[in-house]
């Protein structure tokens, strides 16, 4: 027979369990009905933040629909790729209210989602809003700006956006639509690219900063500046050959620097895409765009890095986002098929932008000191 003490303990546990269940149910109800909400079904009724976001997305989609090969290749159509945009209180907030699921009706069940109508805009014909994507959206409660969600068997970029944060604030390269373009390229176009997956990685540790290295790097950056805006094939080829010789000298003496090519292949091409979009749409992204929205030169940035030893970590990886994009612009002139050749076989030749320049212009071999001196004299 149960004692009074045992009976009381069991009753207390029962009450505690009921309280926990009620608390969970109440919390879930608050989240679902308090935090969660769906936007209006009509585009005209969306709030200012959502209207601005879809206007920017429409501009990007139109550029891809009309001129895809001016951005990447005719085969890459960002305007038809799936995308998830998550309305949150801030771009790194844990609180989110709903998600737009775009261009995904062929890979996931949207029957329980709310269709958003954009009359007269065929570029946004497949847009749905939902409060949840089931277990796939649990990760959105973490304080992260973006992640990858798998819908069916397809990896999809899921990015947060928030009122007052669409333009990226002080850093225009971090504007939501611009950053989404960059990150979606990694997911949509680079799934099979393994440049950064080998044992050497894509970061240069203990970057050499002795006088010999910095002298060569300074010349290479001056050549990159001399390539800016240049479209004459003979001039681009001549300057690019000089760059190849200087880089060959750097890589021969410091072989660990070769992983720069991997960053240029992965991140440099994504920055190239951002810059090309900006070119076509009159956007703010140029060469080495700073937080004030102004473009810089490679030479000035390198001088800025050299002023403060703590900035030298930029030479380990970050600067090659930009050098890779600049090589892309040079390749557009001297080797227009480079975007195909960067693909792995059998589609391409698995060539980094640097390797594509060598394939197009010739291997400089091991330049002599006299040859290096001649090149440096051309870019004082």
């Amino acid at each position: 027979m149960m004692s009074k003490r045992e009976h009381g303990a069991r009753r207390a546990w029962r009450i505690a369990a009921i309280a926990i269940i009620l608390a969970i149910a109440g919390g879930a109800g608050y989240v679902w009905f308090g935090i969660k909400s769906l936007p209006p079904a009509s585009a005209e009724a969306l709030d200012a933040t959502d209207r601005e976001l879809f206007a920017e997305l429409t501009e990007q989609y139109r550029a891809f629909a009309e001129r895809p090969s001016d951005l990447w290749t005719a085969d890459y159509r960002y305007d038809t790729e799936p995308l998830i945009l998550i309305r949150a209180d801030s771009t790194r907030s844990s609180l989110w209210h709903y998600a737009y699921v775009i261009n995904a009706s062929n890979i996931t069940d949207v029957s329980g989602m709310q269709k958003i109508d954009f009359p007269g805009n065929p570029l946004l014909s497949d847009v749905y809003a939902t409060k949840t994507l089931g277990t796939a959206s649990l990760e959105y409660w973490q304080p992260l700006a973006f992640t990858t969600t798998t819908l069916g068997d397809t990896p999809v970029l899921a990015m947060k956006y928030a009122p007052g944060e669409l333009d990226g604030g002080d850093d225009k390269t971090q504007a939501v639509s611009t950053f989404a373009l960059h990150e979606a390229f990694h997911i949509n176009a680079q799934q099979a690219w393994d440049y950064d997956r080998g044992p050497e990685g894509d970061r240069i540790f203990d970057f050499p900063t002795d006088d010999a290295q910095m002298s060569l790097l300074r010349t290479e950056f001056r050549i990159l500046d001399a390539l800016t805006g240049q479209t004459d094939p003979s001039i681009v080829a001549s300057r690019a050959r000089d760059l190849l010789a200087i880089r060959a000298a750097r890589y021969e003496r410091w072989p660990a620097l070769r992983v720069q090519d991997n960053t240029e292949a992965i991140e440099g091409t994504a920055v190239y895409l951002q810059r090309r979009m900006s070119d076509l749409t009159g956007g703010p992204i140029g060469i080495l765009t700073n937080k004030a929205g102004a473009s810089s030169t490679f030479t000035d940035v390198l001088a800025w890095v050299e002023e403060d030893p703590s900035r030298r970590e930029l030479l380990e990886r970050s600067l090659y986002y930009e050098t890779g994009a600049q090589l892309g612009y040079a390749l557009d002139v001297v080797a227009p098929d480079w975007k195909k050749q960067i693909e792995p076989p059998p589609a391409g030749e698995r060539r980094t932008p640097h390797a594509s320049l060598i394939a197009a212009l010739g291997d400089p071999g091991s330049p002599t000191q006299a040859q290096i001196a001649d090149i440096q004299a051309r870019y004082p």
Side-chain angles (χ1 to χ4, degrees):
M1 186 174 179
M2 187 182 299
S3 68
K4 287 184 178 181
R5 178 176 296 179
E6 289 172 331
H7 181 77
R10 178 170 290 187
R11 185 172 181 274
W13 275 111
R14 190 178 298 123
I15 292 172
I18 293 172
I20 291 172
I21 292 171
L22 290 174
I24 293 173
Y30 172 71
V31 168
W32 192 256
F33 296 104
I35 296 176
K36 294 290 186 180
S37 60
L38 285 176
S42 171
E44 291 85 351
L46 297 178
D47 69 12
T49 298
D50 286 10
R51 290 198 306 272
E52 181 181 351
L53 178 67
F54 281 113
E56 293 174 1
L57 200 61
T58 296
E59 185 175 46
Q60 291 181 339
Y61 282 5
R62 182 174 292 111
F64 271 96
E66 295 176 354
R67 303 173 65 181
S69 58
D70 288 337
L71 292 158
W72 190 246
T73 65
D75 295 330
Y76 180 58
R77 294 288 301 275
Y78 179 55
D79 57 309
T80 63
E81 293 284 353
L83 176 67
I84 298 170
L85 297 172
I86 306 158
R87 176 65 179 264
D89 288 346
S90 75
T91 52
R92 290 189 179 273
S93 172
S94 294
L95 298 178
W96 63 282
H97 304 279
Y98 52 85
Y100 288 111
V101 181
I102 304 167
N103 294 334
S105 61
N106 63 328
I107 59 173
T108 193
D109 182 7
V110 297
S111 60
M113 302 181 190
Q114 176 169 288
K115 179 78 164 64
I116 310 296
D117 293 318
F118 292 84
N121 187 348
L123 298 168
L124 296 175
S125 62
D126 190 355
V127 180
Y128 292 81
T130 182
K131 291 183 180 182
T132 181
L133 286 168
T135 57
S137 57
L138 290 177
E139 190 176 8
Y140 305 166
W141 292 100
Q142 297 183 53
L144 47 77
F146 67 94
T147 187
T148 302
T149 296
T150 300
L151 297 180
D153 296 323
T154 304
V156 180
L157 174 68
M159 175 161 285
K160 288 179 180 174
Y161 70 98
E165 298 184 24
L166 291 184
D167 66 354
D170 290 336
D171 189 348
K172 301 309 177 187
T173 65
Q174 299 299 301
V176 169
S177 60
T178 299
F179 195 55
L181 181 69
H182 179 116
E183 293 301 326
F185 187 71
H186 291 323
I187 295 170
N188 300 337
Q190 296 182 339
Q191 282 294 307
W193 298 16
D194 61 354
Y195 296 102
D196 56 344
R197 299 173 196 166
E200 72 278 5
D202 66 344
R203 180 179 294 275
I204 302 166
F205 295 97
D206 300 319
F207 189 93
T209 55
D210 58 282
D211 289 346
Q213 163 66 209
M214 298 311 292
S215 175
L216 290 171
L217 188 61
R218 209 170 292 119
T219 300
E220 183 170 323
F221 277 26
R222 285 170 180 159
I223 297 171
L224 288 169
D225 286 333
L227 287 168
T228 298
Q230 186 55 251
T231 58
D232 185 306
S234 62
I235 294 176
V236 172
S238 175
R239 292 173 183 176
R241 287 191 183 96
D242 287 344
L243 184 147
L244 290 175
I246 293 297
R247 190 171 286 195
R250 292 175 58 228
Y251 285 4
E252 183 176 43
R253 182 164 177 178
W254 300 276
L257 301 183
R258 295 179 186 275
V259 300
Q260 170 180 342
D261 292 0
N262 297 336
T263 303
E264 289 178 339
I266 298 294
E267 298 293 351
T269 51
V271 171
Y272 166 91
L273 183 62
Q274 290 174 299
R275 281 178 53 186
R276 292 297 295 133
M277 177 62 73
S278 190
D279 291 344
L280 292 186
T281 61
I285 309 303
I287 304 166
L288 292 158
T289 300
N290 61 27
K291 290 187 176 182
S295 291
S296 187
T297 65
F298 286 93
T299 306
D300 285 347
V301 169
L302 184 59
W304 179 80
V305 167
E306 290 185 275
E307 287 174 2
D308 185 343
S310 68
R311 298 171 185 160
R312 304 239 169 145
E313 67 179 24
L314 294 175
L315 297 172
E316 296 178 359
R317 185 170 184 266
S318 298
L319 273 175
Y320 311 126
Y321 285 49
E322 298 288 346
T323 60
Q326 190 77 330
L327 292 189
Y329 274 74
L331 286 164
D332 284 343
V333 178
V334 297
D337 68 338
W338 72 276
K339 297 171 189 173
K340 188 71 173 177
Q341 299 310 318
I342 202 170
E343 297 280 351
E349 299 293 334
R350 196 187 177 276
R351 289 178 185 158
T352 64
H354 178 216
S356 285
L357 273 181
I358 293 173
L361 303 176
D363 190 333
S366 298
T368 65
Q369 287 300 316
Q371 289 172 323
I372 291 172
D374 285 344
I375 293 171
Q376 292 188 310
R378 288 197 286 273
Y379 306 93

